[in-house]
Amino acid sequence: MTEPLKRPSKKNPQKRTVLPTLPPHARSRKALAFTAAAAEGVLKLQQCAACTHITYPPREICPKCWSMDLSWVPVSEGGELVSETTLRTSINTHFRERMPWRIGTVQLDAGPSVLAHVHGDVEAYSRVRVIARTDKSGQGVMMALPEKETPNMADDRQLRALTCDPKFRRVLITDGRTELGQAMARALADAGASIVFVGIAEAWRPYAGSAELAGIPGVEIMPLDITDTISVEELAGEIGGKTDILINTAEYVRPGGAMERDGVVTARDEMEINYFGLMRLIQAFGPGMKFRGADGDNSACAWVNLLSVYALSNWAAFGTTSASQAAAYSLSQCLRGELAGSGVKVMNVLFGPLDESWRQPLPPPKVTPKRLARTVVESLQQGLENVTLGPVAEDVVRRFREDPMVLERELTQIQLG
Amino acid sequence: MSQKHTRRRTSYDGIVVTVPVSVAYERYSPEPAHWWLGRALSKLGESADIGAGDIDGLCASSFTLFPDTAVGLSQHFGLTPRWLDHIPTGGASGVIALRRAARAVQSGDANVVACIAGDTNHVDSFRSMLTSFSRFSQDASYPYGSGGPNGSFALMTRDYMNTYDVTREDFGKLCVAQRKNALNFPTALMKSPLSLEQYLDARRISDPITLYDCVMPCAGAEGYLVMSEDRARELRLPFARVLSTIERHNAFPDDAVQIRGGWALDKDEFWDMAGVAPCDIDLLQTYDDYPVVIAMQFEDLGFCEKGTAGEFIRANTFTTDGSFPHNTSGGQLSVGQAGAAGGYLGIVEAIRQLTGGAADNAVAGAKLAAVAGFGMINFDRGLCSAAAILAGEDA
Amino acid sequence: MTTKKNILSDIGQALLSGEIDTIDLTHTLDPDFPVIVLPPEFGQCARFRVEEVSRYDERGPAWYWRNFSCGEHTGTHFDAPVHWISGKDLPDAAVDSIPPDAFVGPVCVFDCSAESQADEDFLLTPNFIRKWEESHGKIQAGSWVLMRTDWSKRSGAEYLNMRDDGAHTPGPDADAMRYLIDKRDIRGFGTETVGTDAGQATHLSPPYPAHYLLHGANRYGLQCLANLDKLPATGAILVCPPLKIKHGSGSPLRVLALVDRSAP
């Protein structure tokens, strides 16, 4: 049984902060497809189109029939632990600092046997569930979990290294003025975050739900206006050193394309919040989080950006908002690149129309703020980096992956009806 | 894997191996691999009293020679060979070099082949060598704790111990015997005796592997010459005959965990070609980076049935004066693992034993030796296996 | 000629000696200072923002400077007649074309602080003005008129005082504006609140009477003023030149008042 995680003690101010070190990050280009799937929490292996053989490690050619046509497919997570060891030395500094470390060989139901990290509750030679996740280096790895949930399972040291569990972590939600921000605060508090800092811009303007928000245990209201560099810097000065998870709930959405707008004032507001706001947060909070990627049980671990799925391909009905979301998505990729090596994951949640006032006339299905908040918490607990939420977003993402140019044609053709 | 249509290997009649040289190992060396390989070559020249003009075949193995290969060595060493091979099979390289050089000489592609292997060991070179070993390892092995070979062999050892009747004591017995052999081998890096208690109580490395299951990386080099028996007689060099050799790669790819090596595919032909049986062998040199591999070699080469290595170990003694002399110089476990030279250690020692070159660790009356190699952990298992049977001049 | 010269010279002497006090009626341009909030589907007033260009660093080793941005109606600001639809076609009605003598002149201050404290929706009426004139004399034509409410002493949410039905802040009613413009020919009207109109002025007739009537008559507005409690009811001189923005509808500005300390 996993020892339940204890609330981390206060940091000893006389001790130097442990700097992030990394598990091996080098991978072949082929293996990056595994990583990409792992970032979504999906275990994918290569399958031969000709003979259906499933192969691992990543190859260029089917070892059974020599077909070059190998494609990545989701496979069953089931398997059996056929051998294991507990490493007590390592040639890698990251692991050396974390010894002992349990690994094992799993015979997957899908066919191949694989090396995997092994959860402490897995019994010898038992059935396991093998998950794919990104590790602190940002690359995909497998971990064998007990087939059935065990007590305090999420607190396993090796599993927690792959996840961004909010438990005992300090979270900043950048905009608490909206229903989304407030749902997020509640979800994070319920998930065991030790502090939920909630940014409130323009406290001189009242907002719905303020009293309820302030009443959530663990919530601390902080002045934060992400359009104001000084405000962002001041808050980072105050809590940047103890922000373990940052969830950017600020968004600015207005219907309309470029031609039907007069001027760029609204588009500028969109960019101020969706793009420059994110950049200000990155500049103010990024360095501190990057530094604290290995800072104990409540190390900095995740940066969450909530993005409209139309960041992938423009939807003219919300054309300039889509453009600002595309800019934000691109910046989020930049952030991922800049945080690489820190152990801090960048989670992008691409969602379909949110059920809020600016999208009120849109038809269902919509994503409720509560659902989005719950998804963020679950995805943090699972350690995901790329999340797609809602039927509309799933549809757009699927089409985008099939062929972005066809999707572009679909979204820009004359709208019928 | 179909064996039905495979042509049988032809014999190595008339080919001999001679002039075993070892360059004394050092834990760390500031010299590059070129120095170590060069020293092995110069020792071959000194011992055989030959020069560059006498050597027309070169075969080299090294992990730390980058950016060079055997090609660059020819110019570096002033050789103009008409046959050249660079063998990247690690712990199997010594036997594989012998096999290929023997065929080269047999076919007339070369008269005298110098086979050399060597590596340096800088303070951080072992770590950097491991992290650039292979693509499969990079993609699918290192990220899981970076235990290096310790982790891979621990998984094999655990599975093997779980499957067959073998104990830590059995593995310990092999290690203790090798250390005893090493005490009579002047250049072994491990110079103090090892007891079974020490073995069993040693620091845990990667369960169930403990400290004395592991080799110590070091710098060193080994070498020998391959030529025709006639040429050896002309040069008045004591030699051993090549009775049989095999190599095999990526055998049993579908075993979930490696529990056998490629020898098992080839052992019948291996013994048939030599015209001897396992019981005729006077000494065996196995590749001994982790005792579990020794157990596999005992079984897969036919010294005992599969799964009975434990029993075999309990029934025999493995010192130079034992019932089954094994790794008579102390093996890599006690001499040290000088990179690719580790794959040469056994064959060079076997030649010494058969040519009267072994001193205090000589096996009395040794006439037939078997040597096995095993190498290149790729992802989760060793891919290369090889073996040879050598006979003394008078055998 | 000599008299005029003497007046300025006297003022100069009085300024130097401290007999004339210079009062700052301006709020600091602060990113977090409230601006007017319109229904969300309308365009909004830009907040004051600054971005550093360099600060004795690699972006400029020996100098510190910043870019700032804001709306024409951010912070303590001036409203030109073209700000409102009623003034859109008037001559010389943008900040760059308003004759400069409009920016300096005598100022009357109505103290509505007690009334505003009692009633956050207090409306200034002609009646109030007539009473004020009974005590302080008739408002001179061409004067600036400022409505003191002590609203500038409020901060945070109290300042806009927004509720679900809109803002609740004091301001003038339509008749008061007509009285000041038609009967007294004032030059401009200023308040401490975020606009020259009351918070609920959308429900007056005409809506936003201060804006509508003042600017329709080519008069000016000042808002977000501070320190009005430091001014006498009459006798001070207001100095309020806006930035000379081409065809500007208004401008943030520094508003000063000269007060004669020796006056009774």
Side-chain angles (χ1 to χ4, degrees):
Chain A
M1 193 191 100
T2 307
E3 187 74 18
L5 188 70
K6 291 192 184 70
R7 179 175 290 275
S9 50
K10 290 183 181 124
K11 194 168 169 174
N12 181 345
Q14 297 203 83
K15 274 193 175 164
R16 192 196 175 196
T17 300
V18 176
L19 297 184
T21 53
L22 294 184
H25 63 276
R27 295 290 192 282
S28 66
R29 186 165 189 279
K30 200 55 89 173
L32 295 184
F34 179 85
T35 289
E40 296 188 287
V42 178
L43 176 63
K44 278 189 185 176
L45 298 180
Q46 286 174 298
Q47 182 170 38
C48 174
C51 75
T52 75
H53 177 70
I54 289 177
T55 187
Y56 182 83
R59 287 173 159 89
E60 313 297 323
I61 176 170
C62 173
K64 294 294 177 195
C65 75
W66 295 353
S67 163
M68 304 299 288
D69 193 0
L70 299 178
S71 55
W72 291 87
V73 298
V75 298
S76 160
E77 293 181 329
E80 186 184 340
L81 185 72
V82 294
S83 191
E84 66 166 294
T85 182
T86 299
L87 297 171
R88 294 170 195 283
T89 68
S90 174
I91 55 166
N92 170 281
T93 310
H94 174 83
F95 286 117
R96 192 181 280 265
E97 291 170 338
R98 287 161 179 79
M99 291 287 126
W101 196 267
R102 192 181 185 200
I103 62 167
T105 305
V106 176
Q107 173 79 63
L108 288 175
D109 295 346
S113 61
V114 301
L115 285 187
H117 301 297
V118 178
H119 189 283
D121 290 347
V122 170
E123 286 174 25
Y125 309 106
S126 67
R127 292 280 308 166
V128 291
R129 183 167 83 87
V130 174
I131 57 168
R133 295 288 185 271
T134 51
D135 69 7
K136 293 287 181 193
S137 77
Q139 297 288 23
V141 291
M142 284 176 263
M143 180 161 189
L145 304 181
E147 202 170 35
K148 295 201 178 76
E149 185 82 16
T150 59
N152 312 310
M153 188 164 149
D155 289 353
D156 178 83
R157 198 171 53 89
Q158 291 184 215
L159 179 57
R160 197 167 154 99
L162 299 182
T163 67
C164 305
D165 198 324
K167 185 174 175 184
F168 296 142
R169 283 196 161 102
R170 295 150 302 183
V171 182
L172 170 61
I173 291 164
T174 59
D175 181 7
R177 293 185 67 98
T178 60
E179 206 185 322
L180 171 62
Q182 291 163 21
M184 197 67 74
R186 194 171 295 280
L188 268 298
D190 290 347
S194 56
I195 308 177
V196 182
F197 298 110
V198 180
I200 295 295
E202 302 186 344
W204 42 269
R205 277 194 301 132
Y207 58 99
S210 56
E212 294 82 352
L213 176 64
I216 299 171
V219 162
E220 291 185 22
I221 304 291
M222 310 302 277
L224 175 64
D225 187 330
I226 68 163
T227 67
D228 177 5
T229 305
I230 296 167
S231 161
V232 177
E233 284 173 353
E234 279 179 358
L235 187 65
E238 203 174 330
I239 65 165
K242 51 181 175 182
T243 300
D244 307 323
I245 297 174
L246 188 151
I247 304 172
N248 187 12
T249 51
E251 66 158 3
Y252 192 91
V253 180
R254 294 293 182 270
M259 202 159 36
E260 64 185 276
R261 288 257 175 82
D262 276 331
V264 300
V265 170
T266 304
R268 206 183 273 269
D269 287 344
E270 287 165 347
M271 293 298 277
E272 273 301 330
I273 290 185
N274 298 339
Y275 177 71
F276 289 113
L278 174 58
M279 190 184 291
R280 290 186 188 95
L281 289 168
I282 290 171
Q283 289 180 348
F285 286 88
M289 290 181 72
K290 184 169 183 166
F291 177 74
R292 287 191 51 254
D295 192 15
D297 287 331
N298 52 4
S299 64
C301 67
W303 184 299
V304 182
N305 290 322
L306 310 178
L307 298 158
S308 159
V309 74
Y310 297 108
L312 297 179
S313 195
N314 193 289
W315 182 34
F318 284 77
T320 62
T321 293
S322 296
S324 71
Q325 292 282 328
Y329 183 55
S330 182
L331 191 64
S332 185
Q333 292 172 325
C334 169
L335 174 64
R336 184 173 282 160
E338 291 189 278
L339 283 177
S342 68
V344 179
K345 291 186 182 186
V346 174
M347 186 207 292
N348 288 329
V349 182
L350 294 176
F351 56 89
L354 194 62
D355 193 5
E356 53 80 50
S357 61
W358 289 104
R359 288 127 167 155
Q360 168 251 324
L362 297 181
K366 289 188 199 176
V367 174
T368 64
K370 261 190 187 161
R371 179 67 212 283
L372 179 49
R374 197 172 71 230
T375 297
V376 166
V377 166
E378 287 167 359
S379 303
L380 286 168
Q381 287 166 336
Q382 291 181 59
L384 308 185
E385 292 191 58
N386 287 333
V387 179
T388 306
L389 176 62
V392 172
E394 282 166 15
D395 187 56
V396 171
V397 166
R398 189 162 51 239
R399 290 164 198 255
F400 178 78
R401 289 180 187 178
E402 271 170 21
D403 191 333
M405 301 315 290
V406 172
L407 174 63
E408 182 183 317
R409 288 283 148 188
E410 283 182 298
L411 288 172
T412 57
Q413 68 193 342
I414 298 163
Q415 300 298 310
L416 300 175
Chain B
M1 212 169 298
S2 167
Q3 299 290 300
K4 272 184 254 170
H5 308 293
T6 304
R7 281 178 58 206
R8 293 178 67 82
R9 299 162 174 91
T10 56
S11 81
Y12 296 86
D13 283 352
I15 307 302
V16 302
V17 57
T18 177
V19 198
V21 299
S22 298
V23 184
Y25 292 3
E26 292 172 17
R27 176 75 175 98
Y28 292 110
S29 168
E31 304 294 351
H34 305 70
W35 185 94
W36 288 94
L37 288 157
R39 186 66 192 108
L41 182 68
S42 69
K43 282 189 93 165
L44 285 175
E46 287 164 17
S47 306
D49 194 22
I50 57 173
D54 300 309
I55 290 174
D56 58 357
L58 175 67
C59 183
S61 295
S62 178
F63 293 114
T64 53
L65 194 58
F66 184 84
D68 285 327
T69 64
V71 179
L73 290 182
S74 68
Q75 191 173 34
H76 195 136
F77 295 164
L79 292 170
T80 309
R82 57 183 177 130
W83 183 90
L84 180 78
D85 203 355
H86 185 97
I87 296 188
T89 57
S93 62
V95 177
I96 289 175
L98 166 66
R99 199 191 67 69
R100 297 184 189 179
R103 288 301 188 206
V105 172
Q106 195 176 33
S107 64
D109 286 352
N111 287 325
V112 175
V113 179
C115 298
I116 51 176
D119 269 294
T120 189
N121 189 36
H122 305 322
V123 172
D124 199 40
S125 61
F126 183 66
R127 198 186 63 80
S128 52
M129 187 259 285
L130 284 183
T131 52
S132 55
F133 209 73
S134 80
R135 172 171 146 177
F136 277 11
S137 298
Q138 171 196 284
D139 283 351
S141 173
Y142 306 145
Y144 301 93
S146 299
N150 294 330
S152 308
F153 282 97
L155 292 167
M156 286 182 216
T157 305
R158 163 64 71 99
D159 182 52
Y160 186 90
M161 292 177 78
N162 184 55
T163 308
Y164 300 128
D165 170 30
V166 66
T167 64
R168 294 261 305 132
E169 285 77 1
D170 296 334
F171 289 148
K173 183 176 178 181
L174 294 171
C175 298
V176 167
Q178 287 192 204
R179 180 62 58 89
K180 200 168 173 205
N181 292 342
L183 296 179
N184 293 321
F185 187 71
T187 58
L189 288 181
M190 307 294 176
K191 293 185 184 336
S192 48
L194 177 70
S195 70
L196 187 61
E197 290 67 36
Q198 283 173 308
Y199 171 89
L200 293 172
D201 294 343
R203 179 159 65 85
R204 291 192 288 176
I205 299 295
S206 180
D207 307 349
I209 282 175
T210 61
L211 184 64
Y212 297 110
D213 292 312
C214 308
V215 298
M216 181 189 279
C218 62
E222 307 273 344
Y224 57 83
L225 297 176
V226 176
M227 58 186 73
S228 65
E229 185 175 333
D230 294 346
R231 185 81 179 113
R233 288 191 191 283
E234 280 169 32
L235 292 170
R236 299 175 178 283
L237 297 172
F239 58 81
R241 290 192 176 86
V242 181
L243 298 191
S244 172
T245 94
I246 51 171
E247 69 176 88
R248 180 66 72 170
H249 308 277
N250 191 34
F252 313 115
D254 296 325
D255 288 356
V257 182
Q258 183 163 37
I259 203 156
R260 52 188 169 164
W263 311 283
L265 283 177
D266 300 296
K267 71 166 186 244
D268 292 344
E269 195 180 332
F270 178 63
W271 293 109
D272 283 355
M273 177 190 277
V276 298
C279 59
D280 300 327
I281 293 295
D282 297 315
L283 58 99
L284 171 67
Q285 311 289 344
T286 62
Y287 186 83
D288 63 338
D289 190 349
Y290 307 97
V292 69
V293 185
I294 301 174
M296 287 185 205
Q297 287 165 94
F298 286 169
E299 295 167 350
D300 300 340
L301 284 166
F303 291 99
C304 59
E305 290 298 310
K306 190 68 194 171
T308 65
E311 201 180 304
F312 181 78
I313 292 167
R314 292 189 287 275
N316 281 288
T317 54
F318 299 92
T319 49
T320 51
D321 59 354
S323 64
F324 192 84
H326 171 245
N327 288 353
T328 50
S329 63
Q332 299 179 84
L333 284 168
S334 287
V335 180
Q337 181 179 60
Y344 269 57
L345 187 71
I347 198 154
V348 169
E349 170 65 8
I351 302 165
R352 268 195 296 262
Q353 289 282 355
L354 297 175
T355 55
D360 295 343
N361 63 329
V363 173
K367 290 187 167 48
L368 269 182
V371 186
F374 177 74
M376 304 307 283
I377 297 289
N378 199 54
F379 173 39
D380 63 339
R381 64 194 65 207
L383 292 188
C384 310
S385 59
I389 299 169
L390 303 179
E393 207 172 324
D394 310 323
Chain C
M1 290 304 286
T2 47
T3 18
K4 277 194 179 172
K5 193 182 170 193
N6 286 346
I7 290 169
L8 282 181
S9 143
D10 288 351
I11 290 173
Q13 281 307 313
L15 284 166
L16 290 176
S17 69
E19 277 176 276
I20 294 178
D21 231 357
T22 306
I23 310 289
D24 191 350
L25 308 186
T26 324
H27 282 287
T28 302
L29 278 170
D30 174 333
D32 203 33
F33 189 79
V35 297
I36 195 159
V37 175
L38 300 180
E41 49 270 28
F42 290 136
Q44 301 292 328
C45 178
R47 280 61 170 159
F48 177 73
R49 293 290 183 260
V50 286
E51 301 290 346
E52 211 166 78
V53 178
S54 76
R55 193 163 193 144
Y56 330 115
D57 53 24
E58 77 285 357
R59 298 167 299 172
W63 51 94
Y64 162 54
W65 56 345
R66 307 188 294 181
N67 292 338
F68 71 83
S69 60
C70 61
E72 290 178 329
H73 300 266
T74 301
T76 300
H77 65 277
F78 185 100
D79 280 359
V82 293
H83 178 42
W84 216 253
I85 190 160
S86 53
K88 73 185 174 67
D89 298 323
L90 297 175
D92 301 334
V95 285
D96 58 331
S97 55
I98 294 170
D101 58 3
F103 305 139
V104 183
V107 58
C108 302
V109 180
F110 300 162
D111 182 359
C112 308
S113 57
E115 291 79 359
S116 300
Q117 195 180 356
D119 176 10
E120 58 193 15
D121 291 316
F122 169 72
L123 290 177
L124 175 70
T125 59
N127 208 29
F128 184 99
I129 302 170
R130 281 190 286 269
K131 266 194 196 152
W132 183 88
E133 287 187 313
E134 281 168 24
S135 311
H136 302 289
K138 186 180 167 189
I139 299 165
Q140 209 183 327
S143 292
W144 280 90
V145 170
L146 305 183
M147 179 177 171
R148 174 187 163 194
T149 52
D150 283 354
W151 219 258
S152 62
K153 295 177 182 173
R154 295 183 169 221
S155 61
E158 301 279 287
Y159 184 76
L160 284 191
N161 209 23
M162 293 283 287
R163 291 208 285 275
D164 286 350
D165 60 353
H168 290 270
T169 56
D173 73 5
D175 289 337
M177 290 319 297
R178 286 192 191 99
Y179 182 86
L180 291 171
I181 296 160
D182 299 340
K183 304 277 197 272
R184 293 293 179 262
D185 194 23
I186 62 165
R187 182 179 303 183
F189 179 75
T191 62
E192 292 180 56
T193 50
V194 77
T196 47
D197 271 300
Q200 292 286 304
T202 184
H203 304 296
L204 299 179
S205 181
Y208 305 107
H211 284 86
Y212 188 83
L213 297 170
L214 267 178
H215 301 324
N218 215 349
R219 311 302 154 94
Y220 318 118
L222 286 170
Q223 41 258 294
C224 305
L225 295 169
N227 291 329
L228 296 192
D229 56 340
K230 297 198 172 78
L231 301 188
T234 59
I237 299 291
L238 191 72
V239 182
C240 57
L243 298 177
K244 197 168 180 176
I245 300 167
K246 186 168 183 180
H247 204 62
S249 73
S251 153
L253 78 170
R254 193 81 178 242
V255 182
L256 303 176
L258 303 181
V259 176
D260 182 353
R261 289 178 67 192
S262 60

